[in-house]
Amino acid sequence: EEMLEESGGGSVQAGGSLRLSCTSKLTYTSYCMGWFRQSSGKEREEVAAFDSDGSTTYADSVQGRFTVSKDNTKNVLYLEMNSLKPEDTGMYYCAEEFGYCRGGHFSDPWFWGQGTQVSVSS
């Protein structure tokens, strides 16, 4: 059974927007939850982290363009992506681990979603 399920990926032109959603079946009260992405030929990288205390952290490459938020009533994490660039193309994965984000980042995610593809054309 999948604990995390992503949705919302798709294809857009540069400058466009997408919103990703991640529905979690986990019920940790302290957690680090967020988004990673993997582009062709590159290692998976952390894009945004959301701590259970409400604090957020972003990769430099998306700072100011992406916003991570969470609806605690639905246990859904969102990633609002604006001003998309071709280099944002990749598979986006939702992740979650027990406990607070260490220094604002994941230590070693316990759970992963199956991923949703984002493609940005120039």
Side-chain angles (χ1 to χ4, degrees), residues 33-35 37 45-51 54-70 77-82 101 103-105:
M33 196 172 178
W35 298 91
R37 71 183 177 194
E45 63 173 338
E46 182 181 308
V47 173
F50 184 94
D51 197 302
S55 59
T56 58
T57 307
Y58 299 93
D60 289 343
S61 59
V62 307
Q63 182 76 47
R65 300 187 297 120
F66 290 12
T67 302
V68 62
S69 61
K70 190 169 183 281
L77 187 77
Y78 300 100
L79 184 67
E80 187 75 37
M81 304 185 293
N82 298 314
C101 300
H105 299 282

Side-chain angles (χ1 to χ4, degrees), residues 106-121:
F106 282 88
S107 296
D108 185 12
W110 292 15
F111 296 94
W112 294 92
Q114 291 189 324
T116 185
Q117 179 68 38
V118 171
S119 299
V120 184
S121 59

Side-chain angles (χ1 to χ4, degrees), residues 72-84:
N72 288 321
T73 64
K74 300 178 181 178
N75 210 17
V76 176
L77 187 77
Y78 300 100
L79 184 67
E80 187 75 37
M81 304 185 293
N82 298 314
S83 302
L84 282 162

Side-chain angles (χ1 to χ4, degrees), residues 4-98:
L4 303 173
E5 184 174 352
E6 305 99 334
S7 62
S11 298
V12 295
Q13 290 190 326
S17 298
L18 283 172
R19 187 177 78 160
L20 305 184
S21 300
C22 173
T23 301
S24 174
K25 296 180 181 178
L26 300 165
T27 57
Y28 300 135
T29 56
S30 296
Y31 55 82
C32 187
M33 196 172 178
W35 298 91
F36 288 72
R37 71 183 177 194
Q38 187 163 22
S39 305
S40 179
K42 296 183 179 180
E43 293 186 357
R44 190 176 296 187
E45 63 173 338
E46 182 181 308
V47 173
F50 184 94
D51 197 302
S52 49
D53 67 3
S55 59
T56 58
T57 307
Y58 299 93
D60 289 343
S61 59
V62 307
Q63 182 76 47
R65 300 187 297 120
F66 290 12
T67 302
V68 62
S69 61
K70 190 169 183 281
D71 184 335
N72 288 321
T73 64
K74 300 178 181 178
N75 210 17
V76 176
L77 187 77
Y78 300 100
L79 184 67
E80 187 75 37
M81 304 185 293
N82 298 314
S83 302
L84 282 162
K85 303 176 181 181
E87 51 264 44
D88 294 319
T89 294
M91 186 69 79
Y92 282 69
Y93 298 90
C94 180
E96 186 167 353
E97 66 182 29
F98 174 75

